[in-house]
Amino acid sequence: MIDPLQRLRCPHCREGKLVPVEGALRCLTCAKISALENGIAALVADFGAHATELERARTINPLWYVEEQLPEATSPWRHHLKKRRLYVEKLLGNELKRRGTAKVPALLDLGCGDGNNLKWLSVYAETSYGCDYNLVRLARARAQNPQATIFLADILDFPAFDGSFDIIFFNHVIEHIRDDVRALQTVKRLLAPDGLLVLGTPNEGAGWWQFAYRRDPRSMETTDHVHFYTAETLTARMRAAGLVIEEVHHMGWGPPDWKLDGRIRKYKLVDDAFEWIGRALLPRQASSLYVAARPASVA
Ligand SMILES: [Zn+2]
C-alpha cells in the first residue's frame, strides 16, 4: 500500500506532493503550507475565502451543512437507503470480480458528508479517501472512519493528481454544483484509466417529482439543489465531460409529497410495495438515479 498522501497534491501550486511537518502539510515544490484544521487537512488554496463562502450559503438555510445526516439504521428512508447500498455493493462487487482482485488500490467518496457511506465503501479498497467542503461534516466523517484519509477540498480545484482513484463514489452531490460539467470533468481527471464512477442523484426532473415541488412551492424555494435531472439530462452532461455510461438505474418510488413520503416509507412493506409497483408502472419516475460510468479512453 502506498502512502495515502502520494495521491494528494498541493492546492497552491497544483504540482507538489505534500509532506507532514509539525501540525501541517508542506508542499515539496512551492513550500507553501496547508493547515490542519482540527487535524483535518484543509487542501484549499484560500481557506479564509472558502469559510466565508460556506457561511454565505448557510444564510439561506442555517441548518444546511450542520444537521447530522441520519445513517441507514435511523433514517425514515432506511429501507430505501438499504436498497441503494445493496445496488452499489453489487456494482462494486462486480468491479472486483472483473479485476480479479479483493480490493482496488484507491477509492474516493467525493462529497462524503458525515462519512456514513465510507464505512461500508472502505472494504472495497486498500486505501479509502473521503472529502467534503465542510469541516463540520469532515470531523464526523473522520470519527466514523479512522482508517480513511479525510480532507477538505473544492471539487472545482481538486487537490489530487490525475488518475488517482480506481473507484469514485459521487453520491447526491452533483445536483448542488452549478458548474456540473466542470465537476464531472474533475471526476474524469481523477479516475484511473479503467476506473469506475458510481454517481447517485435525485431524479427530480421527472414529472412525478416536479409535481411534488409544484404542490409545495416552499420546498422549491428552500431546496439547495440547483439541478433537477432526468436520466437523459444527467447522462448528456456526463458524456459532455468525457465519461462513458455503462449503466443507468432508477430506484425508489414514493408519493409526490415530501412530508408524507418520509412518514410512510419508514415502513418496509410500504417502501417495498412502492418499489415494486413503481418499477412496474412508472419505471422512469423513481426518486433516485444511479449511473455507472468510466472515463472515455484517449485513443
Ligand atoms: Zn505547492
Side-chain angles (χ1 to χ4, degrees), residues 19-76:
V19 288
V21 287
E22 6 164 344
L25 297 171
R26 189 169 58 87
C27 173
L28 286 176
T29 301
C30 73
K32 284 201 175 139
I33 295 288
S34 294
L36 300 181
E37 299 289 335
N38 297 321
I40 294 164
L43 300 184
V44 290
D46 185 344
F47 182 69
H50 178 87
T52 309
E53 183 57 40
L54 198 62
E55 277 312 304
R56 189 166 54 221
R58 284 192 52 210
T59 57
I60 305 170
N61 179 343
L63 290 181
W64 281 348
Y65 319 119
V66 183
E67 256 178 336
E68 253 183 82
Q69 295 173 331
L70 291 177
E72 188 180 305
T74 50
S75 165

Side-chain angles (χ1 to χ4, degrees), residues 105-179:
L107 175 148
L108 171 67
D109 186 352
L110 182 51
C112 66
D114 290 358
N116 293 333
N117 293 317
L118 203 48
K119 287 203 289 186
W120 53 267
L121 288 168
S122 286
V123 305
Y124 294 92
E126 283 160 25
T127 313
S128 51
Y129 296 79
C131 68
D132 206 281
Y133 71 138
N134 178 346
L135 279 171
V136 175
R137 296 213 177 287
L138 288 172
R140 294 183 195 136
R142 193 175 59 150
Q144 294 206 83
N145 297 277
Q147 80 294 350
T149 300
I150 303 288
F151 57 100
L152 182 79
D154 174 355
I155 190 174
L156 298 179
D157 189 4
F158 202 83
F161 293 105
D162 298 3
S164 284
F165 302 102
D166 307 282
I167 293 173
I168 296 180
F169 185 60
F170 193 31
N171 195 46
H172 288 244
V173 174
I174 192 72
E175 69 274 11
H176 298 270
I177 303 176
R178 205 159 290 284
D179 198 346

Side-chain angles (χ1 to χ4, degrees), residues 9-18 26-33:
R9 73 179 190 189
C10 168
H12 303 287
C13 67
R14 304 185 183 89
E15 275 176 23
K17 288 191 171 156
L18 300 165
R26 189 169 58 87
C27 173
L28 286 176
T29 301
C30 73
K32 284 201 175 139
I33 295 288

Side-chain angles (χ1 to χ4, degrees), residues 199 201-206 228-239 245 247-250 283-286 288-291:
L199 185 155
T201 192
N203 184 36
E204 288 179 335
F228 299 84
Y229 297 109
T230 60
E232 289 70 29
T233 59
L234 175 66
T235 54
R237 299 289 166 100
M238 293 175 74
R239 287 191 187 97
I245 311 300
E247 182 170 317
V248 177
H249 189 67
H250 287 81
R284 313 286 285 173
Q285 306 297 316
S288 299
L289 272 175
Y290 277 83
V291 182

